[in-house]
């Protein structure tokens, strides 16, 4: 009897679930951006420039993808101190990204572009809804990173499974690419 096992080429159920969730998120944002284009072509669309801080937030989220990639490498090399530092930096960069976005919204309001309410224009409201939804997804990623950190600092858990960091990395790079898409979309249609 042959007792050799062949490694399974099946995707882990948690990864599969994440990919399905990300596909649904892509569909949601495709719907948002399609609605943006349809509404924009109806007229009475306010043209305005994106706040300059959105450029900074783009650099911040790109940097956070790099730090998370390096965190994954550190985890696999069992460099746990470096892993903790890089996960922490990534989570902080995620929060900085959100603060940059909120600052951009504040700047628009300061410039007289009301994002919601009776005096708002659809252009600003769509920007708020689409970007706000993205910020919520980034916040979800930050929470996942905090959960990863809690597991690393837990004295009870000495699990060296790479699956959690791989899942976090897939999701984090996804929200990064999603922001790049949205940012380029705003620049192209604005």
């Amino acid at each position: 009897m042959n007792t050799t096992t062949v490694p399974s080429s099946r995707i882990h159920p948690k990864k599969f679930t994440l990919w399905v969730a990300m596909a649904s998120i892509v569909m949601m944002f495709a719907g948002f951006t399609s609605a943006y284009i349809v509404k924009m072509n109806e007229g009475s669309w306010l043209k305005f420039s994106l706040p300059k801080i959105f450029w900074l937030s783009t650099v911040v989220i790109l940097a956070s993808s790099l730090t998370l990639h390096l965190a994954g490498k550190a985890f696999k090399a069992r460099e746990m101190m470096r892993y903790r530092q890089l996960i922490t930096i990534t989570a902080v960069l995620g929060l900085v990204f959100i603060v940059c976005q909120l600052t951009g919204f504040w700047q628009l309001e300061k410039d007289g572009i009301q994002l919601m309410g009776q005096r708002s224009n659809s252009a600003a409201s769509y920007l708020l809804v689409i970007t706000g939804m993205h910020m919520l997804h980034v916040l979800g990623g930050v929470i996942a990173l905090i959960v990863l950190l809690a597991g690393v600092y837990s004295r009870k858990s000495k699990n060296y499974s790479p699956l959690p960091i791989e899942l976090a990395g897939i999701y984090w790079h996804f929200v990064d690419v999603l922001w790049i898409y949205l940012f380029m979309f705003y620049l192209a249609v604005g």
Side-chain angles (χ1 to χ4, degrees), residues 138-181:
V138 171
L139 182 60
V142 169
I143 291 168
L145 294 175
I146 291 169
V147 168
L148 279 178
L149 272 173
V152 170
Y153 283 107
S154 169
R155 297 210 188 283
K156 293 182 282 181
S157 174
K158 293 298 177 205
N159 183 3
Y160 286 103
S161 169
L163 183 64
I165 186 66
E166 288 173 4
L167 293 171
I170 291 167
Y171 181 77
W172 196 264
H173 298 313
F174 167 73
V175 293
D176 183 350
V177 168
L178 182 58
W179 172 249
I180 299 301
Y181 160 73

Side-chain angles (χ1 to χ4, degrees), residues 26-135:
V26 165
M27 296 301 293
M28 179 180 65
F29 280 96
F32 282 157
T33 53
S34 296
Y36 187 102
I37 292 169
V38 168
K39 187 68 175 172
M40 182 177 71
N41 291 322
E42 287 181 358
S44 74
W45 192 259
L46 179 66
K47 293 278 189 178
F48 58 89
S49 298
L50 288 176
K52 294 201 184 321
I53 198 158
F54 277 22
W55 287 92
L56 175 61
S57 67
T58 302
V59 171
V60 167
I61 203 163
L62 287 170
S64 73
S65 261
L66 175 63
T67 57
L68 189 59
H69 172 74
L70 295 173
K73 291 180 84 137
F75 182 87
K76 289 177 181 169
R78 303 252 170 118
E79 299 171 357
M80 299 316 280
M81 180 60 86
R82 182 167 164 73
Y83 169 72
R84 287 184 200 119
Q85 292 169 342
L86 290 165
I87 287 288
T88 302
I89 291 168
T90 304
V92 168
L93 288 172
L95 293 173
V96 169
F97 172 83
I98 292 170
V99 168
C100 287
Q101 301 289 287
L102 292 172
T103 303
F105 292 141
W106 175 79
Q107 185 63 50
L108 287 172
E109 289 273 348
K110 187 176 153 206
D111 292 343
I113 300 168
Q114 191 169 348
L115 300 170
M116 55 186 162
Q118 290 182 348
R119 294 183 311 125
S120 68
N121 183 279
S122 296
S125 296
Y126 270 87
L127 177 72
L128 175 65
V129 168
I130 296 169
T131 306
M133 284 301 292
H134 181 263
M135 288 170 24

